Amino acid sequence: MTEPPRLTSLAHGGGCGCKLDPAVLRQLLAQQPAAGPFERLLVGNETSDDAAVWELDDGTCVIATTDFFTPMVDDPVDFGRIAATNAISDVYAMGGRPILALAILGMPVGKIDPEVVARILQGGAAACSEAGIPVAGGHSIDTPEPIYGLAVIGTCRREAVRRNADALPGDAVILTKALGVGVYSAAIKREALDEAGYRDFVATTTLLNRVGADLAAEPAVHALTDVTGFGILGHGLELARGAGLTLVLEADALPLLPRAEALARDGFVTGASHRNWAAFGEAVDLPAAFPEWRRHLLTDPQTSGGLLVSCAAERADAILARIHAAGYPAAARIGRVETGPARIRVDS
């Protein structure tokens, strides 16, 4: 009897590592017309933020986002859970709470058993259930590669909206999850990650970023974004460019998954990591003799990564303690925001 194909073998990439090259994406977006003078559109695509935000009559805001990708794991339930968790994150990253989701499904008919597809959907529904929302519908098509994700709708009050462009000089910067998801994905693809490593991978990628909605109630939190396919450097640079400031990252303070350093040293690096550096490396200042493996971890694509939080420095310790208490033990204070050009400086 022929063994069914591994999910990862049916995809050219996986997770947020299959995002478009950031340089290509910037070029495409630059050619698109502006969203227009819609006074109720509080957040559009002007700063590459995580979701769109539209204000209703009573000050309530609707948050709308979509996210989907190809498999980075072979277990269909885990794939569904990770993809759904990642999509829901965009609502939390805007300071909102999700209210419903619609499934986005593309499957190679004839190459994958319908039962496997059903388990992917089950995994997605389980993540939505954990977030307290229904999968209220969706759309499916026949595609050459497996694709799954969600369109997610959320809400918040206008005063709770947190953009990625509102960091202030002197802010402290906190990251809520450990880095290294991309190198773990590369190891999974090559069947080189042990069971303990896989458990760590699934645990972090299925951890909902629901703390974002709580942080939005804190006036000292000025900016939020989630770290996904462009890595800590790419999404940090969006924060720096949006605010017109310099983001300083302390390399030794960055939290890493337990095997991330060893895997990066052994060459488990995604193609997306190389593309990310080529796209925005000119806007990053690295220390002298900075090891290549460390640079790869800075551009490592994170699937369902953590939140990048820019907050008043005098409140940073209390906010970090609040994040830890909410169930994010890897969260760490990783840098600061300074007056200067819209760049990233990495200190060792």
Side-chain angles (χ1 to χ4, degrees), residues 175-177 207-212 320 322-332:
L175 179 63
T176 64
K177 290 187 186 182
L207 176 61
L208 290 163
N209 278 325
R210 64 173 89 237
V211 71
L320 181 58
R322 181 176 180 179
I323 295 169
H324 285 156
Y328 304 83

Side-chain angles (χ1 to χ4, degrees), residues 56-201:
L56 301 177
D57 290 334
D58 61 354
T60 297
C61 294
V62 174
I63 303 170
T65 184
T66 182
D67 213 316
F68 51 89
F69 46 62
T70 53
M72 76 305 298
V73 294
D74 293 312
D75 184 284
V77 173
D78 288 344
F79 172 39
R81 291 174 63 210
I82 294 166
T85 303
N86 177 76
I88 295 168
S89 179
D90 287 341
V91 171
Y92 294 131
M94 300 305 301
R97 299 184 189 278
I99 58 172
L100 65 86
L102 303 173
I104 299 166
L105 179 69
M107 287 293 143
V109 175
K111 294 182 181 178
I112 189 168
D113 192 290
E115 177 58 30
V116 173
V117 180
R119 293 180 65 202
I120 293 170
L121 296 174
Q122 290 166 9
C128 289
S129 178
E130 185 178 352
I133 64 173
V135 180
H139 187 64
S140 60
I141 61 172
D142 183 1
T143 53
E145 297 179 296
I147 297 170
Y148 176 69
L150 301 174
V152 188
I153 303 298
T155 63
C156 69
R157 297 295 298 174
R158 177 171 181 147
E159 59 271 18
V161 175
R162 290 296 184 274
R163 304 192 311 156
N164 65 354
D166 295 330
L168 297 176
D171 275 0
V173 177
I174 294 168
L175 179 63
T176 64
K177 290 187 186 182
L179 302 172
V181 170
V183 296
Y184 273 56
S185 296
I188 290 170
K189 186 86 171 177
R190 289 156 60 179
E191 300 185 79
L193 189 67
D194 60 20
E195 290 186 12
Y198 184 78
R199 287 194 298 269
D200 289 338
F201 175 89

Side-chain angles (χ1 to χ4, degrees), residues 1-319:
M1 183 175 180
T2 304
E3 285 290 320
R6 298 171 60 206
L7 278 178
T8 53
S9 73
L10 296 173
H12 74 285
C16 286
C18 62
K19 277 188 173 184
L20 281 181
D21 183 313
V24 173
L25 182 60
R26 282 204 307 272
Q27 180 182 0
L28 293 174
L29 291 176
Q31 297 174 17
Q32 302 307 305
F38 296 98
E39 62 180 25
R40 296 195 181 200
L41 181 64
L42 303 186
V43 183
N45 61 9
E46 59 279 351
T47 60
S48 302
D49 221 321
D50 298 296
V53 181
W54 183 275
E55 184 180 15
L56 301 177
D57 290 334
D58 61 354
T60 297
C61 294
V62 174
I63 303 170
T65 184
T66 182
D67 213 316
F68 51 89
F69 46 62
T70 53
M72 76 305 298
V73 294
D74 293 312
D75 184 284
V77 173
D78 288 344
F79 172 39
R81 291 174 63 210
I82 294 166
T85 303
N86 177 76
I88 295 168
S89 179
D90 287 341
V91 171
Y92 294 131
M94 300 305 301
R97 299 184 189 278
I99 58 172
L100 65 86
L102 303 173
I104 299 166
L105 179 69
M107 287 293 143
V109 175
K111 294 182 181 178
I112 189 168
D113 192 290
E115 177 58 30
V116 173
V117 180
R119 293 180 65 202
I120 293 170
L121 296 174
Q122 290 166 9
C128 289
S129 178
E130 185 178 352
I133 64 173
V135 180
H139 187 64
S140 60
I141 61 172
D142 183 1
T143 53
E145 297 179 296
I147 297 170
Y148 176 69
L150 301 174
V152 188
I153 303 298
T155 63
C156 69
R157 297 295 298 174
R158 177 171 181 147
E159 59 271 18
V161 175
R162 290 296 184 274
R163 304 192 311 156
N164 65 354
D166 295 330
L168 297 176
D171 275 0
V173 177
I174 294 168
L175 179 63
T176 64
K177 290 187 186 182
L179 302 172
V181 170
V183 296
Y184 273 56
S185 296
I188 290 170
K189 186 86 171 177
R190 289 156 60 179
E191 300 185 79
L193 189 67
D194 60 20
E195 290 186 12
Y198 184 78
R199 287 194 298 269
D200 289 338
F201 175 89
V202 172
T204 190
T205 53
T206 58
L207 176 61
L208 290 163
N209 278 325
R210 64 173 89 237
V211 71
D214 298 327
L215 294 175
E218 168 67 69
V221 173
H222 301 142
L224 283 174
T225 191
D226 62 353
V227 179
T228 55
F230 301 149
I232 186 69
L233 287 187
H235 295 284
L237 189 58
E238 289 174 347
L239 184 147
R241 285 172 169 164
L245 298 167
T246 296
L247 173 62
V248 180
L249 297 178
E250 301 289 344
D252 293 339
L254 293 171
L256 300 177
L257 291 171
R259 292 197 58 197
E261 177 178 338
L263 289 170
R265 284 179 178 273
D266 288 343
F268 288 94
V269 176
T270 67
S273 179
H274 294 284
R275 293 194 299 273
N276 286 342
W277 180 254
F280 48 69
E282 78 284 350
V284 178
D285 300 311
L286 296 177
F290 197 68
E292 186 175 16
W293 68 265
R294 296 193 78 178
R295 193 200 77 196
H296 281 306
L297 287 174
L298 296 179
T299 53
D300 189 54
Q302 304 304 289
T303 298
S304 191
L307 297 176
L308 197 60
V309 184
S310 183
C311 63
E314 64 272 15
R315 288 284 299 152
D317 289 343
I319 290 169

